[in-house]
Amino acid sequence: MASLATHLSAFLFLFPVGLRRLLCSYSLYLKNPSSYRSKPWYFSEPRWKNLDLYALLVALPIASFSESFLFLTFSGPPTYRFAFSQQSAAVFLFWALLVLVILKEYVDGAAISEGYVFVVAGVAFLVEYSVIGKGVGGLGAPVYELLGRLSLVCAGSCVYLGVRPSAFFAEFLLSSGLLFKGTWALQAGLNLGTDVFALKGCHKSGVSTGRWDLDVKCALEEDGLRGVALMNLLFIVHAIGVVVVGFGLFGLLSCNRNLRFGDASGPLLAQLESESMLMRPAPEFDLE
């Protein structure tokens, strides 16, 4: 429910985070599958390599403030106005989640369990699902509904990882879901927020805040049905692309150890190796 710039920003944050989680989780799983445990965030050393985390810490409050500003200044229908406030709260919740992750990593890791962080992440995705597409009708409604389903996948994966952090398939769903959300957000921005990629027979409605076009209407019913069918087809294409990237990356890391995250150094690898040493049985000696 925003401009192309907003959707592009979502892509630039979600896609790298999802791709990085795939890279890190694959690397740790291939290192030692029996002792694999998912992490709320895969930190690396030196700290400047966590630039994506620090960028999110700065960008999310700005995004939340922007939504709050729209709520206060928007003079359109109340449905749209309150949607801005709900989205602001959802974005702020994700920022609070990142703060919790940093507190666990750098302040007091023993006081905050990883399971608790995953459950909070699941709640954040559920809140996001409840506000995605609020007040949007026309062609935008099914597009944001698909985006909401991806949030449900991420929420379910987080809750399951909170119970079973060793569930590699749940980590795959979470990472792929973030990757998918990024690409689909960009696709939604292109088709709903631009005239160049607008679907045939459909146009942006008159309800607008200047930079934010809130709705897309189709002149004829058959244009709307064709538009929905095309978006569903694009969704399937995106899903296939994400699966291909996921399996392709796993195969690439399986064949080339030099590309794996943390194989040379890093806190995750050190922790994994220490756990592996603790789990390794002591050697047996035969006395003659």
Side-chain angles (χ1 to χ4, degrees), residues 40-120:
W41 191 275
Y42 294 97
F43 288 88
S44 58
E45 294 293 343
R47 292 186 178 182
W48 65 264
K49 291 186 177 181
N50 303 306
L51 183 62
D52 50 349
L53 174 63
Y54 305 138
L56 285 172
L57 280 174
V58 175
L60 290 183
I62 296 175
S64 179
F65 174 78
S66 299
E67 297 286 353
S68 299
F69 179 77
L70 284 174
F71 167 71
L72 296 174
T73 59
F74 184 60
S75 58
T79 304
Y80 293 112
R81 184 182 179 188
F82 285 104
F84 288 127
S85 65
Q86 293 170 337
Q87 291 177 5
S88 174
V91 173
F92 181 81
L93 185 57
F94 279 106
W95 178 78
L97 173 65
L98 291 182
V99 172
L100 184 64
V101 169
I102 290 180
L103 289 176
K104 171 176 172 49
E105 182 68 18
Y106 295 119
V107 180
D108 190 359
I112 307 174
S113 68
E114 292 181 346
Y116 174 75
V117 177
F118 273 120
V119 171
V120 173

Side-chain angles (χ1 to χ4, degrees), residues 58-194:
V58 175
L60 290 183
I62 296 175
S64 179
F65 174 78
S66 299
E67 297 286 353
S68 299
F69 179 77
L70 284 174
F71 167 71
L72 296 174
T73 59
F74 184 60
S75 58
T79 304
Y80 293 112
R81 184 182 179 188
F82 285 104
F84 288 127
S85 65
Q86 293 170 337
Q87 291 177 5
S88 174
V91 173
F92 181 81
L93 185 57
F94 279 106
W95 178 78
L97 173 65
L98 291 182
V99 172
L100 184 64
V101 169
I102 290 180
L103 289 176
K104 171 176 172 49
E105 182 68 18
Y106 295 119
V107 180
D108 190 359
I112 307 174
S113 68
E114 292 181 346
Y116 174 75
V117 177
F118 273 120
V119 171
V120 173
V123 172
F125 279 114
L126 286 176
V127 172
E128 182 195 27
Y129 167 75
S130 67
V131 303
I132 283 182
K134 279 285 187 178
V136 177
L139 185 61
V143 173
Y144 284 107
E145 181 182 357
L146 294 173
L147 190 61
R149 292 178 182 178
L150 294 176
S151 296
L152 280 181
V153 172
C154 293
S157 301
C158 287
V159 172
Y160 194 84
L161 286 172
V163 179
R164 292 193 59 186
S166 60
F168 179 70
F169 77 93
E171 172 64 40
F172 173 78
L173 289 178
L174 174 60
S175 303
S176 300
L178 292 172
L179 201 69
F180 202 165
K181 279 168 64 69
T183 61
W184 189 244
L186 179 61
Q187 186 71 60
L190 291 174
N191 291 121
L192 303 180
T194 65

Side-chain angles (χ1 to χ4, degrees), residues 13-67:
F13 284 117
L14 290 171
F15 187 86
V17 169
L19 190 62
R20 187 176 187 270
R21 284 196 70 92
L22 280 178
L23 174 62
C24 297
S25 59
Y26 283 173
S27 300
L28 294 181
Y29 181 81
L30 291 171
K31 181 70 178 179
N32 194 336
S34 61
S35 61
Y36 169 80
R37 290 178 64 88
S38 181
K39 303 291 180 182
W41 191 275
Y42 294 97
F43 288 88
S44 58
E45 294 293 343
R47 292 186 178 182
W48 65 264
K49 291 186 177 181
N50 303 306
L51 183 62
D52 50 349
L53 174 63
Y54 305 138
L56 285 172
L57 280 174
V58 175
L60 290 183
I62 296 175
S64 179
F65 174 78
S66 299
E67 297 286 353

Side-chain angles (χ1 to χ4, degrees), residues 232-264:
N232 288 335
L233 177 61
L234 288 174
F235 187 82
I236 295 174
V237 172
H238 279 255
I240 295 174
V242 169
V243 171
V244 169
V245 169
F247 282 95
L249 183 60
F250 187 85
L252 183 63
L253 294 178
S254 299
C255 300
N256 194 335
R257 291 176 57 91
N258 295 328
L259 298 178
R260 297 180 189 177
F261 171 86
D263 262 9

